[in-house]
Amino acid sequence: MKKIDKREVFTQIEINATREQVWSVLTDFEKMPEWSSSFQGIEGEFKEGGKATSYFKAPIGKKNMEFEHTIIEFEEQVSFGWSDPLMLGMKDHHVYKLETLENGNTLFTQTDGVEGGATHFMGKLMTKNMEKMYLKFNQELKERVEAIYK
């Protein structure tokens, strides 16, 4: 039996707004809890090489989950992401990316993955849950941006 040491998540949604408009909503971390049911924002140095903490709603209970990150990918109005240890020896690589389409709309892509450690027995469940959460976040972002700018 082959051991699986890497799992990936890939989600996309087209948003009827400019890349700059989507970026302004996506990175307004103070207002994010008003519309996002999962990702609650980032505090810290929001720049390449910056040390930051991301907050996500916990599936059970009222306290947010906190994850320490080093921002390894950052391009203003284009993308940001991190790659850090999760738990049980696993590591993730989470990236948010914006691309301007020919029609002027924005393609929002959210990718993630887990590798190493317990990925061979927990990776499928983790990435399935991530995908579900990211698809919902993408839709919430779309609705928020389009409500503000259209």
Side-chain angles (χ1 to χ4, degrees):
M1 186 166 138
K2 186 177 178 188
K3 188 166 111 173
I4 299 173
D5 290 316
K6 187 173 185 177
R7 297 278 183 167
E8 295 180 346
V9 177
F10 180 88
T11 64
Q12 287 187 318
I13 196 165
E14 183 173 339
I15 301 174
N16 186 20
T18 67
R19 188 177 70 213
E20 293 79 10
Q21 291 168 332
V22 176
W23 180 265
S24 72
V25 172
L26 177 63
T27 59
D28 186 349
F29 301 123
E30 283 187 27
K31 291 184 180 174
M32 190 173 276
E34 294 174 10
W35 58 267
S36 174
S37 62
S38 57
F39 188 24
Q40 298 295 285
I42 293 177
E43 289 181 347
E45 303 171 296
F46 188 59
K47 62 181 185 179
E48 188 164 345
K51 304 291 184 195
T53 302
S54 64
Y55 300 91
F56 292 85
K57 277 192 180 173
I60 299 171
K62 297 191 184 244
K63 189 172 184 208
N64 284 338
M65 297 183 297
E66 300 178 10
F67 299 95
E68 300 291 323
H69 302 293
T70 300
I71 307 281
I72 61 165
E73 182 171 325
F74 185 91
E75 185 176 348
E76 187 76 27
Q77 297 185 4
V78 176
S79 66
F80 66 93
W82 51 77
S83 186
D84 292 297
L86 287 171
M87 63 181 119
L88 301 172
M90 294 183 290
K91 184 176 183 177
D92 83 326
H93 186 77
H94 195 162
V95 177
Y96 301 84
K97 186 174 181 180
L98 307 173
E99 178 184 344
T100 301
L101 299 173
E102 286 183 18
N103 63 6
N105 288 345
T106 301
L107 182 64
F108 175 68
T109 304
Q110 193 173 176
T111 60
D112 205 341
V114 293
E115 64 183 345
T119 301
H120 63 278
F121 68 90
M122 288 186 64
K124 184 176 182 180
L125 177 62
M126 285 188 70
T127 54
K128 183 178 179 182
N129 288 333
M130 287 174 169
E131 181 178 38
K132 183 179 177 182
M133 183 172 64
Y134 298 166
L135 288 169
K136 186 171 185 181
F137 177 84
N138 295 357
Q139 186 62 42
E140 291 169 338
L141 175 63
K142 175 183 175 68
E143 290 171 6
R144 178 67 168 205
V145 171
E146 290 178 358
I148 292 171
Y149 292 104
K150 297 301 169 195

